[in-house]
Amino acid sequence: MGLTRYRKKRDFSTTSEPRAIPARSGGKLRFVVQKHAASRLHYDFRLEYAGVLKSWAIPKGPSLNPQEKRLAIQVEDHPLAYADFEGIIPQGQYGGGSVLVWDQGTWECSNIQKGLSEGKLEFALHGEKLKGRWSLVRMRGDRRDGKNWLLMKVRDRYASATANILSSSPLSVLSGRGLDEVSAEEISKAELRQPNTTKRSGKQGT
Ligand code: MN
């Protein structure tokens, strides 16, 4: 897919999201799950492959219960640098709202190319919150555009029918912040960067 669609959807003079530069990471493949308060809260699930992050938006977020299949809508590939993005996407921009890095780590899969093309990926996650075996399966009968997949926990010692990982571990693994703190801190940082909006001595507002 490349990064053309990623680039087209964004105005990099306005958003602080990373520019679309493909990067190499040696050795292990990274994964990241970002919690994103856009017009609707969702979780963005991203798997590094071939120099980009293959990406799915998961409206309900991942579940540790193997019986709960979670809709995962494939979206455009993102640059690898996006895995570290936490902050605010400006309102009016694509996906405007705050983003935090909800989980990160590495992932393993025996045949990624085949899995992606056949619509059945079986893999292991080595994250701080998500661990063990998982699967992503393209929905049959999704003739519209083939973008609807299902994310499922595979039964193993990390599966749980009762734990709610989203509510028990809601914060960023990078900063320990919640979404409200991310937006509050980023807004005050932005104000500090813009001298026009701060008071100057001797001059009060007009
Ligand atoms: Mn998103």
Side-chain angles (χ1 to χ4, degrees), residues 35 86 98 100 170-172 175-184:
K35 187 175 178 181
E86 182 166 288
S98 42
L100 62 74
L171 305 179
S172 164
S175 65
R177 297 181 297 178
L179 279 172
D180 290 350
E181 289 166 279
V182 169
S183 38

Side-chain angles (χ1 to χ4, degrees), residues 8 19 70-71 97 106 109 120 139 157 191 193:
K8 271 189 183 164
R19 286 169 179 275
R70 293 289 163 89
L71 176 64
T106 61
C109 175
K120 193 173 199 305
M139 287 173 74
R157 67 195 170 104
E191 282 168 357
R193 278 197 299 268

Side-chain angles (χ1 to χ4, degrees), residues 2-195:
L3 294 170
T4 316
R5 287 184 59 210
Y6 174 87
R7 211 177 283 121
K8 271 189 183 164
K9 287 184 172 182
R10 290 169 177 80
D11 174 1
F12 293 103
S13 65
T14 307
T15 182
S16 58
E17 295 166 285
R19 286 169 179 275
I21 303 162
R24 295 255 161 250
S25 72
K28 292 179 174 174
L29 297 172
R30 297 178 71 186
F31 89 94
V32 63
V33 183
Q34 280 152 320
K35 187 175 178 181
H36 182 185
S39 48
R40 277 192 185 188
L41 179 71
H42 61 274
Y43 292 77
D44 289 301
F45 186 77
R46 310 191 196 280
L47 300 171
E48 176 186 356
Y49 178 59
V52 297
L53 295 169
K54 309 304 287 184
S55 297
W56 290 262
I58 305 182
K60 290 187 173 177
S63 170
L64 300 185
N65 185 346
Q67 300 203 321
E68 285 191 24
K69 300 172 181 176
R70 293 289 163 89
L71 176 64
I73 303 147
Q74 192 171 13
V75 299
E76 77 273 22
D77 295 346
H78 278 53
L80 283 188
Y82 209 95
D84 301 311
F85 177 72
E86 182 166 288
I88 293 185
I89 302 171
Q91 294 303 329
Q93 289 291 299
Y94 176 68
S98 42
V99 175
L100 62 74
V101 176
W102 183 78
D103 197 16
Q104 65 175 7
T106 61
W107 74 292
E108 288 178 273
C109 175
S110 58
N111 197 336
I112 303 172
Q113 183 60 59
K114 185 165 180 265
L116 285 172
S117 62
E118 293 182 356
K120 193 173 199 305
L121 270 178
E122 304 255 6
F123 53 94
L125 295 179
H126 309 288
E128 295 179 38
K129 297 174 183 173
L130 303 182
K131 298 173 192 291
R133 291 161 55 220
W134 293 75
S135 76
L136 253 178
V137 179
R138 191 185 285 129
M139 287 173 74
R140 284 190 193 167
D142 180 21
R143 293 174 195 282
R144 206 168 46 108
D145 50 14
K147 297 205 180 306
N148 290 341
W149 296 59
L150 294 170
L151 177 71
M152 283 162 282
K153 182 75 194 79
V154 174
R155 218 169 277 284
D156 63 12
R157 67 195 170 104
Y158 298 108
S160 168
T162 52
N164 184 336
I165 186 93
L166 303 180
S167 58
S168 65
S169 302
L171 305 179
S172 164
V173 293
L174 285 189
S175 65
R177 297 181 297 178
L179 279 172
D180 290 350
E181 289 166 279
V182 169
S183 38
E185 286 175 31
E186 296 294 324
I187 287 164
S188 57
K189 266 199 270 173
E191 282 168 357
L192 286 173
R193 278 197 299 268
Q194 295 176 351

